[in-house]
Amino acid sequence: MISAIAKPAASVPVFRATDLVVEHGVNVGDELSFAAELIPDDIYWMADGAERIRIEIETAEGGAIRIGPDTEVGTPGHAPHLDSCLTFMAETGETSEVLVLVEVDAAGHAARVYALPLVPLRPRTDYRLVGIDTEGAARRFAEVACVSFTRGTRITMGSGLQKPIEELEVGDRVLTRDDGVQEVRWIGHSTVRATGEFAPVLIRAGTLNNENDLVVSPDHRLFIYQRADALGVGRPELLVRVRHLLNGETITRLDGGFVEYYQLLFDRHQIIYAEGIAAETLLVDTRTRAALPPELDARLAAALPSHGKAAHLDFEVQESVLKRPDVARLLRAASEG
């Protein structure tokens, strides 16, 4: 069933621009727009009943970013342009960041505008626009795309020993599924609010044959080898995003507080072992590159083409195949044989 296999792509949850409208200020009555048309101190409201929709973003040949064929909104083939990162302040003093994406058609005209809140926005709440950043938006967008492990996650080393990720150093030798023992080239570390798109996912011990609880970023992909084709996809190898496995019991969101995220970079996109589960490392592409330090640019210029060519990237399963309450149990049983 080839149609069950997804092309390597990422989907991000957005709101339509019409869901955020100026209630008080210079642009009263106007919907959210790009930076050049925004006025600081305007107050926005989130529309009642506003629903998040997913826009699929894929990297085309040559590194260009475009909207993918399985998107829920927008026109496949159009280019999503990252316009700005906006900072809003509620009456409580709490700040929220929102990325503005502009869909550009083949003629170079703006077709639609979308809002990607990095933390949840509440309806019937005044949000005053207090910041418009057109330079740091790419980095914030990249941070959403970076797959990350959390503090305490044990990584299997080349020696077979397991080491907490926060104790790893550049040059350490880690066991990979496809290329044996490989050296870590870079380690990223950040502490963010564990909410919205940054809220991690907990996979309880034993759920997918993991030795201990595993906590990863929501778009992290796990590699699963089926000894029996439990999902009927026609191949034993699968890549599955953890957010597609949420069941409210053994695989849940950890929403609230703060989370420490770690990213591991190798010369190639790799599958390594975290708490005994085969899981991906950071994939460098035109989205995630902005999250990396400038001093890596020379090395990455050579590494970037090979990162997107790993054979296992063809094994990602579409979300529709995983929409069943018992999918975690099926995957565990299938991997045991």
Side-chain angles (χ1 to χ4, degrees), residues 211-286:
E211 298 171 1
N212 297 294
D213 289 353
L214 176 65
V215 183
V216 293
S217 55
D219 261 333
H220 214 123
R221 292 178 292 193
L222 307 179
F223 181 91
I224 295 175
Y225 184 87
Q226 303 181 101
R227 299 182 186 280
D229 188 5
L231 300 184
V233 297
R235 67 194 326 162
E237 304 96 342
L238 305 176
L239 268 185
V240 296
R241 294 182 188 266
V242 295
R243 66 175 173 82
H244 294 161
L245 302 178
L246 291 167
N247 58 22
E249 297 178 359
T250 59
I251 304 179
T252 58
R253 286 260 197 183
L254 297 180
D255 202 331
F258 291 84
V259 58
E260 281 190 78
Y261 276 138
Y262 292 82
Q263 301 87 35
L264 296 182
L265 177 68
F266 294 81
D267 286 337
R268 295 182 59 204
H269 183 251
Q270 296 288 356
I271 301 296
I272 63 173
Y273 298 92
E275 300 298 352
I277 296 182
E280 70 172 328
T281 61
L282 177 62
L283 171 64
V284 179
D285 59 18
T286 46

Side-chain angles (χ1 to χ4, degrees), residues 186-209:
W186 176 76
I187 301 173
H189 175 226
S190 61
T191 301
V192 299
R193 289 169 61 187
T195 187
E197 287 306 294
F198 290 109
V201 171
L202 163 66
I203 304 171
R204 295 196 180 279
T207 301
L208 293 173
N209 298 312

